């Protein structure tokens, strides 16, 4: 009886095993392999795939200042290669599916998902007489293709998708497979094929849509938008993003689509449509928080009326108070500042711009915008030196020198470079000339007051350091300090600091070298240290060291005045021609006119002042300079222009006259009469408002300056030509000379 039961058990077991063969088309076999495929293999593969997608969504670093890509992933085109084909099973296709190979590749979630898909196909595929009997194998092929897509193996992915489409035309996942095939083609720059295949899938008749689940529709319309991005068809992109955002089955992609749609409207300056898109996103409860907070920031950026600005200010202030928004404080403060600037609350705008700069974890790109806006504010207020400092900060923070914003700031900074240098010359020379003009007693009093003030500041700084040391070493030290204490000497910051101070007290500041404890080295080091300290002390507090630097020779003082006057004139012309700042131009030109400038500057100064007042409609003030020109310089071109303002000179005659003047000045340059060249150029430049020869005169002027004036003034003249006429041959030549001088 026992033997019969044993034989019966063996027979049943053998029958069960035989019926579960992948070659037998039975109900038991089909269900067994379907269940085993999903619960034993595919489930783990799909979980790995989900983990990989979540990692991409959370780890991708978006540039929120540019239009976001529809799919948050960045592929390297250099890694797209033509794979080899192998015959390890139907649909296994390109890229190899050898078990050992896939085992080696399964380092990431997508590689693991691909490995599971291949394993399911190889072990549980039931391809009998050309038909697949395991209903889970089409899912395995889809997972295989999607995993290859994210591994940037697009051609093998398309092969897997094509296998599903060809062999499972009635499968419920056929629409999703076609969508993924279209995405793979987009990545291979076959966007036209992708658009055609998606339209065949989604367009039924007129306005009718196929009866697909909302999730599939979202994917299909998003894929169409991706394809049209590649073709630069912005209207089509908007159309399909709108269709994709009707439902929000995939919360990450839906939020992203809404944000991109708002960005496109903002770029088209359709601020009301952009506001609607961002407002909808901010109210989307399931949206990831990074999209919601950015939507609020974009709402502030696109505010188009005062009432909206005030409501957004209140909203932004609430967001700032929320501790969860600390990572976004730099951008929130910046948007508050821009709203205040739009409302002409410039003091508040500056305050919040500075808060944005001080925010912890602030991004470099945000800082460039903040620095630029601060620079623009000071520039509009004619505080050009402060503006230049902020533009310089933009260039120091930025890492992308080719960015359009950075190139714009660089141009502004270069335009201010000459102005800042001339302003520095005026300020420095004015101070020296003023002190030199004082009596000996007044000079001594001036510098003694300076030394007393310096001593007071040094004492206050020393006392502050002592207070800090005393506070840090007090018995009532805080928990942070006590937490730094450790048993090992070098882990105890208090002991380490004390030891370092004590070592320096005993041994001095010793070099890292052998035999450092020799007494000769000690004495020499202490003597050198003491002498250096004494010298520094004498330089800072010694009255005689200041007095001896005051120039006393008339020739030196006259040279300072000449350079100061030339700088004032150049500033007047820059403010008038380049920055269109009438008030500052008048200030500099009228001041230099009272300082007994060189003869060659008098006529241009009067001409520029006449032009400024005449254009401003201040006839009485213009009359003063007009009479000076007509009385003292009746035979000049300036006088002719004043006498006959309506006369239109023949263009050819004018060009010939200018060319003749240039040749005469160039001849003087060759004769080494550099001062006369400078006088001649300064007299003719104001009449060359639109002449193509103006860069030639400016470069000739720079050459003349370089022959008898200091190198710094020569470089400033060359920089003026290089900046203002950068696209001309003269501007390029000036740049070449500057590069050689700076080596």
């Amino acid at each position: 009886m026992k033997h019969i039961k044993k034989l019966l058990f063996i027979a049943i077991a053998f029958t069960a095993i035989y019926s579960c063969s992948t070659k037998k088309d039975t109900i038991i076999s089909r269900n067994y392999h379907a269940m085993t495929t999903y619960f034993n293999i595919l489930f783990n593969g799909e979980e790995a795939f989900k983990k990989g997608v979540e990692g991409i969504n959370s780890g991708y670093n978006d540039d929120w200042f540019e239009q976001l890509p529809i799919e948050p992933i960045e592929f390297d085109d250099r890694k797209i290669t033509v794979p080899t084909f192998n015959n390890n099973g139907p649909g296994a296709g390109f890229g190899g599916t050898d078990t050992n190979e896939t085992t080696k590749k399964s380092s990431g979630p997508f590689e693991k998902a691909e490995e599971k898909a291949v394993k399911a196909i190889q072990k549980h595929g039931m391809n009998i007489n050309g038909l697949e009997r395991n209903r889970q194998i089409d899912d395995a092929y889809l997972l295989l293709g999607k995993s290859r897509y994210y591994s940037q193996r697009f051609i093998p992915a398309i092969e897997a998708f094509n296998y599903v489409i060809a062999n499972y035309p009635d499968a419920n996942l056929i629409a999703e497979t076609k969508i993924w095939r279209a995405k793979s083609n987009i990545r291979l720059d076959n966007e036209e094929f992708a658009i055609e295949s998606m339209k065949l899938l989604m367009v039924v008749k007129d306005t009718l849509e196929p009866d697909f689940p909302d999730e599939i529709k979202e994917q299909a319309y998003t894929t169409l938008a991706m394809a049209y991005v590649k073709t630069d068809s912005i209207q089509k992109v908007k159309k399909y993003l709108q269709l994709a955002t009707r439902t929000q089955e995939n919360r990450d992609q839906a939020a992203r689509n809404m944000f991109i749609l708002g960005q496109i409207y903002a770029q088209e300056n359709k601020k009301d449509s952009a506001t609607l898109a961002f407002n909808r996103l901010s109210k989307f409860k399931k949206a990831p928080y990074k999209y919601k907070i950015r939507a609020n920031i974009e709402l502030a950026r696109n505010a188009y009326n005062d009432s909206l600005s005030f409501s957004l200010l209140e909203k932004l202030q609430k967001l700032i108070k929320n501790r969860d928004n600390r990572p976004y404080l730099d951008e929130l403060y910046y948007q508050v500042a821009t709203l205040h600037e739009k409302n002409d609350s410039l003091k508040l705008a500056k305050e919040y711009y500075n808060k944005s700069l001080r925010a912890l974890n602030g991004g470099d790109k945000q800082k460039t915008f903040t620095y630029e806006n601060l620079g623009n504010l000071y520039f509009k207020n004619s505080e050009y030196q402060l503006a230049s400092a902020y533009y310089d900060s933009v260039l120091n923070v930025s890492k992308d020198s080719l960015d359009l914003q950075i190139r714009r700031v660089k141009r502004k900074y270069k335009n201010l470079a000459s102005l800042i240098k001339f302003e520095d010359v005026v300020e420095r020379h004015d101070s020296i000339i003023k002190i030199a003009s004082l009596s000996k007693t007044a000079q001594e009093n001036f510098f003694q007051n300076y030394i007393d003030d310096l001593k007071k500041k040094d004492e206050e700084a020393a006392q502050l350091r002592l207070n800090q040391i005393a506070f840090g070493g007090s018995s009532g030290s805080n928990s942070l300090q006590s937490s730094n204490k450790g048993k090992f000497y070098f882990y105890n910051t208090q002991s380490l600091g004390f030891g370092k101070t004590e070592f320096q007290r005993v041994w001095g500041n010793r070099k890292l070298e052998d035999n450092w404890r020799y007494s000769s080295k000690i004495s020499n080091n202490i003597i050198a240290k003491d002498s250096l300290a004494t010298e520094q002390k004498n330089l800072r507090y010694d009255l005689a060291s200041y007095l001896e630097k005051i120039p006393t020779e008339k020739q030196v003082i006259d040279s300072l005045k000449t350079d100061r006057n030339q700088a004032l004139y150049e500033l007047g012309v820059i403010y008038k021609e380049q920055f269109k700042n009438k008030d500052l131009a008048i200030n500099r030109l009228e001041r230099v006119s009272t300082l007994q400038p060189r003869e060659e500057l008098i006529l241009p100064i009067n001409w520029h002042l006449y032009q400024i007042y005449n254009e401003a409609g201040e006839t009485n003030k213009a009359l003063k300079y007009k009479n000076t020109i007509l009385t003292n310089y009746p035979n000049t071109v300036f006088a002719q222009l004043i006498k006959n303002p309506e006369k239109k000179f023949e263009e050819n005659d004018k060009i010939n006259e200018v060319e003749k003047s240039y040749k005469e000045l160039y001849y003087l340059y060759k004769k080494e009469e550099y001062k006369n060249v400078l006088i001649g150029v300064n007299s003719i430049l104001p009449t060359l408002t639109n002449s193509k020869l103006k860069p030639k005169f400016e470069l000739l002027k720079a050459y003349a300056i370089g022959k008898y004036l200091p190198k710094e003034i020569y470089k400033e003249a060359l920089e003026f030509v290089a900046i203002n006429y950068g696209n001309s041959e003269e501007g390029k030549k000036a740049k070449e000379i500057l590069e050689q001088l700076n080596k």
Side-chain angles (χ1 to χ4, degrees):
M1 189 66 179
K2 289 182 179 180
H3 291 291
I4 293 172
K5 289 181 178 179
K6 187 175 182 181
L7 289 171
L8 185 61
F9 176 76
I10 292 171
I12 293 170
F14 180 77
T15 303
I17 293 170
Y18 179 74
S19 65
C20 292
S21 170
T22 58
K23 303 299 182 182
K24 295 288 290 181
D25 185 12
T26 64
I27 294 176
I28 295 175
S29 183
R30 289 196 298 269
N31 285 288
Y32 168 78
H33 284 288
M35 182 177 66
T36 306
T37 300
Y38 181 74
F39 288 104
N40 196 32
I41 301 175
L42 270 190
F43 177 80
N44 292 326
E46 288 175 354
E47 288 299 309
F49 181 81
K50 288 178 183 176
K51 183 179 178 183
V53 174
E54 288 172 1
I56 287 173
N57 288 333
S58 61
Y60 183 77
N61 292 321
D62 282 300
D63 184 354
W64 300 94
F65 298 94
E66 303 291 337
Q67 184 176 318
L68 301 186
I70 291 176
E71 196 172 33
I73 187 169
E74 187 173 339
F75 291 119
D76 187 352
D77 293 339
R78 294 171 298 179
K79 292 182 180 179
I80 301 176
T81 57
V82 178
T84 56
F85 187 80
N86 69 86
N87 293 313
N88 286 342
F94 299 95
T97 55
D98 180 71
T99 306
N100 293 331
E101 186 181 348
T102 51
T103 302
K104 291 177 184 176
K105 288 182 180 178
S106 60
S107 55
F110 296 118
E111 288 77 10
K112 183 178 179 181
E114 181 178 356
E115 177 191 346
K116 295 295 183 184
V118 170
K119 186 177 179 181
I121 294 167
Q122 289 178 340
K123 290 191 174 183
H124 298 286
M126 295 180 66
N127 194 300
I128 301 170
N129 297 325
L131 293 175
E132 180 58 58
R133 303 297 180 179
N134 185 347
R135 62 180 180 275
Q136 293 292 332
I137 296 302
D138 54 348
D139 294 273
Y141 275 113
L142 179 59
L143 179 61
L144 175 65
K146 293 195 295 186
S147 301
R148 287 174 173 177
Y149 175 87
Y150 281 113
S151 299
Q152 202 172 340
R153 297 163 59 225
F154 304 121
I155 296 174
I158 290 173
E159 197 274 341
F161 297 137
N162 282 337
Y163 184 82
V164 176
I165 294 167
N167 291 278
Y168 307 96
D170 298 323
N172 58 1
L173 50 69
I174 200 72
E176 184 180 0
T177 305
K178 289 180 179 179
I179 292 168
W180 280 94
R181 183 181 66 172
K183 288 173 66 175
S184 300
N185 276 288
I186 292 168
R187 294 297 180 181
L188 292 171
D189 295 328
N190 296 330
E191 57 271 6
E192 290 182 1
F193 174 80
I195 291 169
E196 185 180 350
S197 63
M198 283 293 93
K199 283 188 174 180
L200 287 172
L201 178 67
M202 297 303 296
V203 178
V204 178
K205 184 180 179 182
D206 298 330
T207 58
L208 293 176
E209 286 184 315
D211 188 20
F212 291 140
D214 288 342
E215 184 178 359
I216 295 299
K217 290 180 182 178
E218 282 184 24
Q219 289 181 31
Y221 289 132
T222 301
T223 302
L224 274 166
M226 284 175 60
Y228 279 115
V229 166
K230 296 289 286 287
T231 63
D232 294 326
S233 303
I234 300 302
Q235 297 304 317
K236 294 285 187 180
V237 174
K238 290 192 296 184
K239 173 185 174 181
Y240 288 108
L241 283 177
Q242 287 169 344
L243 290 172
T245 55
R246 289 180 304 178
T247 54
Q248 294 94 30
E249 294 296 320
N250 183 337
R251 66 189 189 98
D252 289 280
Q253 191 61 57
R256 193 173 190 86
N257 289 346
M258 289 183 201
F259 191 86
I260 295 168
L261 188 59
Q263 285 184 311
I264 294 172
Y265 282 128
Q267 288 170 8
E268 294 178 334
N269 204 31
K270 296 178 179 177
K271 293 187 179 294
D272 51 349
S273 299
T275 299
L276 286 172
F278 290 125
N279 200 38
R280 184 184 174 201
L281 175 55
S282 68
K283 295 177 180 178
F284 179 25
K285 293 182 179 179
K286 293 183 180 179
Y289 192 68
K290 63 179 181 179
Y291 292 110
K292 296 182 74 172
I293 188 69
R294 299 286 178 183
N296 284 298
I297 290 170
E298 291 296 327
L299 281 170
R301 187 173 293 168
N302 289 280
Y304 54 88
N305 59 48
D306 292 341
S307 60
L308 189 60
S309 295
F310 285 118
S311 64
L312 285 169
L313 272 172
E314 294 179 6
K315 190 172 185 179
L316 288 174
Q317 291 293 356
K318 290 179 181 178
L319 291 171
I320 287 169
K321 291 176 182 178
N322 188 343
R323 296 173 65 87
D324 294 334
N325 292 329
R326 286 184 177 182
Y328 310 102
L329 279 178
D330 58 331
E331 295 178 63
L332 291 170
Y333 282 134
Y334 174 83
Q335 293 306 326
V336 171
T338 57
L339 290 174
H340 281 307
E341 186 178 350
K342 286 178 183 176
N343 297 331
D344 293 328
S345 302
L346 300 186
K347 185 177 179 181
L348 284 171
K350 290 177 184 178
E351 179 185 337
Y352 277 96
Y353 279 135
N354 283 299
K355 283 184 177 182
S356 175
L357 292 173
R358 292 193 298 268
L360 296 176
N361 304 319
D364 286 344
K365 193 158 188 177
Q366 178 59 65
K367 286 180 180 177
T368 63
F369 286 103
T370 308
Y371 279 127
E372 184 184 4
N373 280 19
L374 277 167
N376 292 340
L377 279 176
Y378 286 109
F379 186 91
K380 289 175 185 175
N381 200 35
S382 302
E383 298 178 67
Y384 298 113
Q385 287 173 300
L386 278 172
S388 177
Y390 281 111
Y391 293 148
D392 184 47
S393 297
V394 174
L395 301 178
N396 288 331
V397 170
S398 172
K399 297 174 184 176
D400 185 4
S401 59
L402 299 177
D403 184 76
L404 183 63
Q405 176 214 2
I406 303 307
R407 284 185 288 163
R408 179 180 67 237
V409 172
K410 190 177 287 187
R411 283 196 300 272
K412 291 180 182 178
Y413 180 71
K414 284 185 176 180
N415 288 339
L416 286 168
S418 298
L419 183 146
I420 299 303
K421 288 180 180 178
F422 285 129
E423 288 287 7
D424 288 342
V425 168
V426 171
E427 185 179 357
R428 183 171 63 252
H429 287 22
D430 272 344
S431 299
I432 296 171
I433 293 167
K434 181 180 178 181
I435 292 170
S437 66
L438 297 174
S439 65
K440 190 71 174 177
T441 305
Q443 289 174 352
E444 290 176 356
N445 290 336
F446 176 83
F447 282 112
Q448 189 58 55
N449 290 334
Y450 173 77
I451 291 169
D452 292 341
D453 187 54
L454 190 63
K455 285 180 179 179
K456 183 179 179 182
K457 289 180 179 178
D458 288 347
E459 288 171 1
E460 289 174 353
Q463 186 61 48
L464 179 62
R465 285 196 296 273
L466 288 172
N467 292 342
Q468 290 171 342
I469 293 169
F471 177 77
S474 64
S475 58
S477 59
N478 57 27
S479 59
L480 180 62
Q481 185 182 11
S482 62
S483 66
N484 288 332
K485 294 180 181 179
K487 293 182 180 179
F488 183 46
Y489 176 81
F490 289 99
Y491 290 165
N492 190 321
T493 54
Q494 190 173 8
S495 300
L496 189 64
F498 176 78
K500 184 177 179 181
T501 305
E502 186 66 13
F503 178 88
Q504 290 177 342
R505 186 184 68 80
V506 175
W507 299 102
N509 190 17
R510 312 310 304 275
K511 290 183 180 180
L512 184 61
E513 59 183 353
D514 294 335
N515 304 317
W516 58 271
R517 288 189 293 181
Y518 281 178
S519 59
S520 60
K521 291 180 179 287
I522 298 171
S523 59
N524 290 338
N525 184 58
I526 293 172
I527 292 169
K529 186 177 179 182
D530 289 346
S531 63
L532 180 63
T534 304
E535 183 182 354
Q536 289 176 343
K537 182 178 179 181
N538 289 340
L539 287 175
R540 286 175 64 81
Y541 302 143
D542 183 38
L543 179 62
S545 67
Y546 291 101
L547 294 174
E548 67 185 15
K549 293 178 183 177
I550 301 173
T552 54
E553 296 155 359
K554 186 177 183 301
Q555 184 179 0
V556 175
I557 295 173
D558 287 344
S559 176
L560 291 171
K561 289 180 178 179
T562 300
D563 291 345
R564 188 264 320 273
N565 293 346
Q566 181 68 36
L568 281 168
Y569 169 75
E570 297 291 351
L571 284 169
V573 175
I574 290 171
Y575 284 129
K576 172 180 175 275
E577 302 290 347
Q578 204 167 331
F579 296 108
K580 311 299 180 186
N581 191 318
K582 176 176 72 77
D583 295 333
L584 286 177
I586 290 171
N587 177 277
R588 301 303 188 267
L589 290 170
E590 287 190 338
R591 185 186 170 206
V592 71
S593 68
T594 63
L595 295 174
Q596 298 179 344
R598 298 196 312 269
E599 178 63 30
E600 59 267 25
L601 289 181
I602 296 175
L603 177 57
I605 289 170
N606 281 276
W607 171 252
H608 285 301
L609 286 168
Y610 165 74
Q611 278 190 314
I612 294 170
Y613 283 123
N614 193 46
E615 289 173 6
E618 300 184 43
T619 311
N620 293 334
K621 292 183 178 180
L623 186 62
K624 171 186 173 184
Y625 300 103
K626 173 183 175 180
N627 291 335
T628 301
I629 294 170
L630 293 176
T631 303
N632 299 333
Y633 308 95
N635 299 322
T636 61
V637 177
F638 303 102
Q640 293 177 25
L641 289 172
I642 292 172
K643 290 176 183 176
N644 303 294
E646 301 298 326
K647 182 179 179 181
K648 295 182 179 179
F649 297 99
E650 291 294 329
E651 189 67 22
N652 291 334
D653 293 341
K654 190 174 181 181
I655 291 173
N656 291 335
E657 185 182 344
V658 172
E659 288 178 349
K660 182 181 177 182
S661 300
Y662 180 78
K663 289 177 181 177
E664 289 173 355
L665 290 170
Y666 188 74
Y667 179 71
L668 290 176
Y669 178 81
K670 286 293 186 182
K671 289 177 65 178
E672 300 183 359
E673 296 183 21
Y674 305 122
K675 287 189 177 181
N676 290 331
V677 171
L678 196 59
I679 293 169
V681 172
N682 281 333
S683 66
I684 200 170
L685 272 177
T687 66
L688 304 178
T689 52
N690 297 314
S691 175
K692 293 180 180 179
L693 291 175
K694 192 171 184 180
K696 289 184 177 294
F697 281 95
E698 291 286 6
L699 186 60
L700 183 62
K701 176 183 175 181
Y703 285 158
I705 288 172
K707 292 297 183 180
Y708 78 100
L709 289 175
K711 182 179 178 181
E712 289 303 316
I713 299 177
Y714 178 43
K715 288 173 70 176
E716 288 168 6
L718 288 171
E719 283 177 356
F720 180 82
V721 179
I723 290 168
N724 290 283
Y725 310 102
N727 295 325
S728 66
E729 291 298 322
E730 291 75 17
K732 293 173 183 176
K733 184 64 178 176
K735 288 178 185 176
E736 291 177 10
I737 299 171
L738 278 170
E739 288 174 1
Q740 293 175 0
L741 291 174
N742 291 328
K743 286 182 179 177

